[in-house]
Structures are given as C-alpha cells and as structure tokens.
C-alpha cells in the first residue's frame, strides 16, 4: 500500500483539511458546524423532490435521442433517406454536443443551476419540435437543423444535472443520486424502443405522430425544469442551500491546466471515445441490423434491442457499489471492454440468438460507466475535474460522430452490416489494448491510484492525519 508521504499532493487534493495543522482545523470547526446546520435545514423531502425533478430533466431527451433508430426503416422509406443521410442525424448531434459541453459548465457557473436547467431543456424541446416539423413537412434539411439545436440542449442538460445533484447531495448519498439520474435516463431510452413502433402502428403507420409524441415528452422535461426552478429558488430563499451554488466552482474551463493533464487522462479519454462509439453507433442501427441478421419483425427487434439498456438500469448502482468497495477501477474497465469485444465478435461472426449477447453488452455498459468516469475525475487535480470531464466528453462525441458516419458509409457501399460490425469490433479491440496500457501506466506512474478501494483511501487519510498531528506535536515540544 502506498504510504501518505509518497503522494502528498494526491492526499491534499482528496482532503484539504489533512494538510492543515490542528489549530487550523479547530478554526475551521465553526464553519463545519454551520454547514451541518444547513444539512439539517435541507430536509429529505426537499432533497428527494429535487432529485426526482433532476432525474426527469433528461428523460424526455434520452427517449427521443434514439427515436430515429427505433423507426429507421420507416423513416428512410417514407422520406427517401439513404444510410449516409440517416447517419447525419446522429453525426450533427454528436458534433454539436462536442462543442457545447465545453461551455455549458461555464454558463452554469455564471448563472444558476435552475436557470440553466430551464434554458437547456427548452433548447432540447425546440430542437425536437423543429425535427418533428421536418418529419411532418418531409423536409430533411429542417430535420437536421432540429437535431443540431437538440444537440445543444441534451448534452448541456447533463452538465446542469450533475451540478444540481452535487449541491443537494453534497456529502450525503452522492453516488446513489448520480446512479438515479443515469438510471432514469436509461429508462427513457428503453421506453423509446418499447413504445415507438407500437405508437407508429396504433396511429395507422403515421411516423409524424411518433415524433410529436417525443416532443411531448421533451415538454414534460421542461415542466420538471420549471418546477425545479421554483423549488430551488424557495430552498435558496429559506437558506437551505445557502450560497453553495455560487461557491461550487464546478466545470470552469481553464485551458492552461489542460497542458498539465497526465498521460493516463488522455489514454482514458480515447478509451472512452472508442467504447461509446461502439455502443452508440450500434444502437443507431440496431433495429435494422437485428431485422437483417435474425429476421425479427421490426417491433420485435425494437424491443429486443432495449435489452442493453434494460440490463444497465439495475446493474449501474450495483457495479458502482462493488467498485467503490473493492477498487480495481481500470481492471474492471478492461474486463468490461473485453466483454464488449466478445459481444462484437459474437454478433459479427455468428447468427445465433442475440439475446444473451445483448445482456452481456448491457452489463459491460454498466461497468464502464461505474469505472471509467470516476477514473477520469481521479487522475486530474480537483480544480480541473470539470474541465477534464468536458474534454473527455468532447473527445467521446467526436468518436461517436465519426463512427456513425463510417457505419452509414459502410452500409451504403456493402449489402449487409457485416463490414460495419468488423469496424466496431476493431474499435473495441483498440479500446481493450489502450485499457491494458492504462493499467500499466496507473501502476508504474500513478502508484496504483485507480485500483484503490474506498477503504484504502480512508485508511490513508487517517494515517496522514495522524502523521500530521504527531508532527505538529513534535514541533510544539521543540519550540
């Protein structure tokens, strides 16, 4: 186990109080008491109401994000879209999102969480409305404009959502709160794959009705944002959250700090891009792919494709708790990527039933979410966590956008999806190789930081505090 003296900077970043003398800690006790009083004032009812509303900020957006995937064949048939044009609907979203997530955090810092929640959900609603108008008018250009505006909103909502959770669950069930937001987002994705094809059939094969249904769900998210605005304003007026919204300093973009990021951060960011490019590029065409590969009816393929997200919903909090308990983050990350690589090979080179493979892919997706993103936060200084997340997300979105374009081009030039699956398998293989490199870098240059458990971190914090206390007592005696 690494001793506290070998990484004083890391310990200081994890807990600034450890570097203070006992006298300074005593001076800080009144401030801590005041914070505890605020925690008492911030009742569970207010906390969990804020969490509930925060979770549904992204529900509508994630429901309509893959709406074009669930109805890919119908959309292409009715609007005469080729595969490249279809892929463009995902491409413009990813590249717009890539730029917006860098600046969304700065807007959150300059205004308030509640204001940004309303702004970003409204942008997502506006984009989905324009997309629905484009479908109604059978105008592809209008649809693309709608997806661009939608992209500026949805990714930014996640930034505001994270800031909201960090304020209301500062040191209380924070991981559970983050797991709840991710779970509800996946429920939105699953709802899309279950309902979209049925709505299309129920309303006489009218695709425009399905897109207007998606618009209504985005409007529900805006309503949740407005309700949260009222709740948050009341909580701030009553002193429940005090000035925390002004003090948090999350996601400030300081470009000079980017040059100081360690090598492992960039490796993890590329792993993130390759992995999510695989998942989301596949999800964009999975209904059509399962229809081609296993001859499922479209509504059956849509329901079966939701297995990935259905598996992820219960697995995310479970894997998060396990990884917090045992550590081994980069090892779990490499293991989950190897599972995805096996999934791609299974789907590319066999025609067996996809259901077991989709379950394993869902478990892999959950494990990466629980291991990769915390690792990115841990390898950079605390003050740069927001910048790091923004850069990693931008790299991720660039990869997703390019993969959607490549998959669409491959499908256009080849009669089946086989070549596209070979490409996705190569992405998974490259991600696995880089994950192994990340394990080596962490062990050699980072003293195994990412593989430590919460218990190890707590033990080192206690030992560091004891060492600092003994050193202060020795200095006092010498004086």
């Amino acid at each position: 186990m690494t001793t506290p003296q070998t990484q004083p900077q890391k310990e200081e970043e994890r807990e600034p109080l450890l570097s203070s003398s006992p006298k300074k800690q005593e001076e800080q006790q009144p401030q801590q008491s005041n914070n505890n009083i605020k925690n008492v004032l911030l009742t569970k009812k207010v906390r969990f109401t804020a969490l509930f509303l925060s979770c549904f900020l992204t529900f509508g957006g994630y429901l309509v994000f893959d709406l074009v995937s669930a109805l890919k064949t119908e959309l292409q048939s009715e609007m005469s879209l080729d595969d490249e044009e279809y892929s463009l609907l995902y491409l413009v979203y990813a590249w717009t999102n890539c730029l917006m997530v860098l600046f969304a955090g700065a807007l959150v810092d300059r205004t308030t969480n509640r204001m940004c929640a309303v702004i970003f959900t409204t942008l997502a609603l506006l984009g989905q409305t324009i997309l629905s108008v484009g479908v109604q008018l059978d105008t592809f250009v209008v649809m693309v404009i709608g997806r661009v505006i939608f992209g500026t909103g949805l990714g930014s909502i996640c930034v505001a959502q994270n800031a909201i959770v960090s304020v209301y669950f500062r040191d209380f069930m924070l991981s559970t709160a983050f797991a709840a937001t991710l779970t509800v987002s996946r429920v939105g994705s699953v709802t899309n794959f279950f309902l979209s094809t049925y709505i299309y059939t129920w309303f006489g094969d009218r695709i425009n009705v399905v897109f207007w249904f998606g618009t209504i769900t985005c409007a529900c998210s805006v309503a949740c944002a407005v309700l949260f605005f009222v709740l948050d304003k009341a909580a701030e007026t009553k002193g429940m959250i005090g000035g925390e919204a002004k003090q948090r300093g999350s996601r400030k973009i300081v470009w000079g700090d980017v040059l100081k990021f360690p090598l492992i951060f960039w490796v993890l960011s590329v792993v993130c891009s390759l992995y999510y490019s695989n998942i989301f590029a596949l999800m964009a065409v999975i209904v059509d792919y399962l229809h081609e590969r296993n001859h499922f009816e479209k509504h059956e393929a849509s329901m079966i494709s939701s297995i990935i997200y259905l598996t992820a919903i219960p697995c995310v909090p479970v894997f998060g708790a396990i990884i917090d308990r045992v550590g081994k983050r980069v090892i779990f990350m490499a293991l989950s990527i190897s599972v995805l690589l096996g999934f791609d090979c299974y789907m590319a080179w066999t025609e067996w039933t996809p259901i077991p493979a989709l379950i394993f892919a869902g478990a892999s997706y959950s494990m990466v979410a629980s291991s990769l993103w915390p690792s990115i936060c841990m390898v950079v200084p605390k003050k740069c966590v927001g910048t790091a997340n923004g850069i990693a997300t931008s790299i991720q979105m660039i990869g997703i956008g390019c993969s959607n374009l490549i998959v669409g081009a491959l499908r256009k030039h080849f009669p089946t999806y086989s070549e596209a699956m070979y490409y996705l398998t190569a992405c998974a293989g490259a991600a696995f190789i880089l994950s192994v490199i990340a394990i080596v870098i962490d062990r050699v240059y980072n003293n195994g930081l990412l593989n430590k458990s919460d218990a190890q971190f707590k033990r080192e914090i206690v030992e560091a505090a004891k060492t600092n206390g003994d050193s202060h007592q020795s200095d006092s005696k010498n004086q």
Side-chain angles (χ1 to χ4, degrees):
M1 182 180 70
T2 305
T3 60
Q5 290 82 356
T6 58
Q7 284 186 318
Q9 184 178 359
K10 291 291 181 184
E11 300 297 347
E12 183 179 354
E13 290 170 2
R14 290 188 64 83
E15 183 53 69
L17 292 179
L18 293 181
S19 61
S20 305
S21 64
K23 181 178 180 180
K24 289 183 179 179
Q25 293 181 21
E26 290 175 2
E27 293 174 353
Q28 291 170 338
Q29 285 178 357
Q31 182 179 356
Q32 293 175 349
S33 299
N34 291 335
N35 289 337
N36 291 335
I37 292 174
K38 289 179 182 178
N39 285 337
V40 173
L41 292 175
L42 188 55
T43 62
K44 287 185 177 181
K45 181 179 179 180
V46 174
R47 284 184 191 272
F48 288 102
T49 302
L51 178 61
F52 175 83
L53 295 174
S54 175
C55 286
F56 282 91
L57 294 178
T58 54
F59 178 82
Y62 276 103
L63 187 148
V64 302
F65 172 70
D66 280 320
L67 197 59
V68 293
S69 173
L71 298 172
K72 178 179 184 295
T73 302
E74 294 81 1
L75 188 66
Q76 288 184 289
S77 175
E78 293 189 19
M79 300 195 65
S80 302
L81 304 180
D82 60 29
D83 288 320
E84 287 185 342
E85 289 175 322
Y86 168 79
S87 298
L88 186 62
L89 294 174
Y90 278 94
L91 180 67
V92 295
Y93 166 85
W95 285 0
T96 303
N97 208 345
C98 161
L99 297 174
M100 275 301 297
V101 293
L102 290 174
F103 302 103
L107 183 60
V108 169
D109 289 331
R110 291 172 185 172
T111 57
T112 60
N113 293 335
R114 56 181 177 268
M115 180 60 70
C116 288
V118 174
I119 292 173
F120 297 149
T121 52
T122 302
L123 279 173
L125 171 61
L126 177 61
Q128 177 60 23
T129 302
I130 294 174
L131 176 65
S132 300
V133 170
V135 174
Q136 186 83 41
L137 299 178
D138 195 8
T139 307
F140 180 68
V141 174
V142 176
M143 293 177 62
V144 172
I145 294 172
R147 286 292 276 192
V148 169
I149 298 174
F150 178 76
T152 64
L154 182 57
S156 303
I157 295 172
C158 297
V159 176
Q161 188 182 60
N162 290 344
I164 291 168
V165 171
S166 67
V167 169
Y168 281 86
F169 292 83
R170 187 174 54 253
D171 290 314
F172 175 74
M173 298 178 63
L174 184 61
S175 297
T176 302
F178 273 107
T181 59
L182 178 60
T183 299
V184 173
S185 297
R186 295 306 104 202
V187 170
S189 301
V190 170
T191 303
N192 163 55
F193 284 104
F194 268 106
L195 284 184
S196 297
T197 53
Y198 282 107
I199 294 175
Y200 177 76
T201 303
W202 290 339
F203 285 89
D205 296 346
R206 296 174 59 191
I207 196 169
N208 61 304
V209 174
V210 186
F211 279 85
W212 285 115
F213 167 75
T215 304
I216 292 172
T217 62
C218 287
C220 293
S221 291
V222 174
C224 289
V226 172
L227 291 174
F228 173 76
F229 186 100
V230 176
L231 174 72
D232 189 68
K233 181 66 175 178
E236 187 177 68
T237 301
K238 295 177 181 179
M240 291 185 178
I241 57 176
E244 292 159 3
K246 299 177 181 179
Q247 297 172 1
R248 63 182 177 271
S250 63
R251 298 183 66 90
K252 277 191 174 181
I253 300 176
V254 183
W255 296 110
D257 293 331
V258 174
L259 301 176
K260 302 176 184 178
F261 285 174
L263 174 62
I264 192 170
F265 165 78
W266 300 106
V267 173
L268 292 173
S269 296
V270 176
V271 170
C272 174
S273 181
L274 289 169
Y275 183 90
Y276 284 100
S277 296
N278 191 314
I279 288 288
F280 289 120
L282 176 62
M283 292 305 295
V285 298
I286 192 168
V287 175
D288 197 33
Y289 175 57
L290 291 178
H291 175 69
E292 173 193 287
R293 179 182 183 272
N294 299 98
H295 310 292
F296 290 119
E297 294 295 332
K298 286 303 177 67
H299 70 277
E300 291 177 326
S302 181
M303 293 180 64
I304 290 172
S305 65
S306 67
I307 289 176
I308 289 181
Y309 292 146
L310 277 174
T311 305
I313 290 170
C315 285
V316 168
V318 173
F319 285 140
I322 291 173
I323 291 173
D324 281 339
R325 184 175 182 85
V326 304
K328 313 298 181 186
R329 290 168 185 82
V330 283
I331 293 177
F332 274 111
M333 180 185 71
L335 175 62
S336 62
I337 294 172
S338 69
V339 172
L340 182 69
L341 178 59
F343 163 78
D344 287 336
C345 292
Y346 179 94
M347 298 295 287
W349 281 284
T350 76
E351 295 183 358
W352 300 338
T353 175
I355 294 177
L358 290 170
I359 293 174
F360 277 100
S364 168
Y365 177 78
S366 305
M367 193 178 295
V368 161
S370 302
S371 58
L372 176 59
W373 289 105
S375 297
I376 289 175
C377 295
M378 292 173 66
V379 298
V380 298
K382 183 184 293 184
K383 65 178 182 178
C384 300
V385 167
T387 304
N389 275 297
I391 292 173
T393 304
S394 292
I395 295 173
Q396 173 196 13
M397 288 301 169
I398 291 172
I400 292 173
C402 291
S403 289
N404 284 325
L405 190 62
I406 292 171
V407 168
L410 289 172
R411 183 63 181 87
K412 181 178 180 180
H413 291 90
F414 293 96
T416 68
Y417 278 105
S418 296
E419 287 74 17
M421 288 305 302
Y422 300 154
Y423 163 74
L424 296 180
T425 303
C427 289
F432 177 73
I433 293 172
L434 287 174
S435 67
V436 174
I437 293 174
I439 294 174
V440 175
I441 294 174
D442 180 60
R443 181 170 298 178
V444 174
Y445 297 103
N446 216 21
N447 292 319
L449 175 69
L450 299 181
N451 283 327
K452 294 180 181 178
S453 65
D454 278 1
Q456 287 176 296
F457 282 125
K458 290 178 181 178
R459 195 180 307 120
E460 292 183 3
I461 288 172
V462 171
E463 291 176 359
K466 183 178 179 181
T467 301
N468 288 339
D470 292 342
S471 175
H472 176 76
Q473 292 178 1
S474 176
D475 291 342
S476 299
K477 290 180 180 179
N478 292 334
Q479 291 175 359

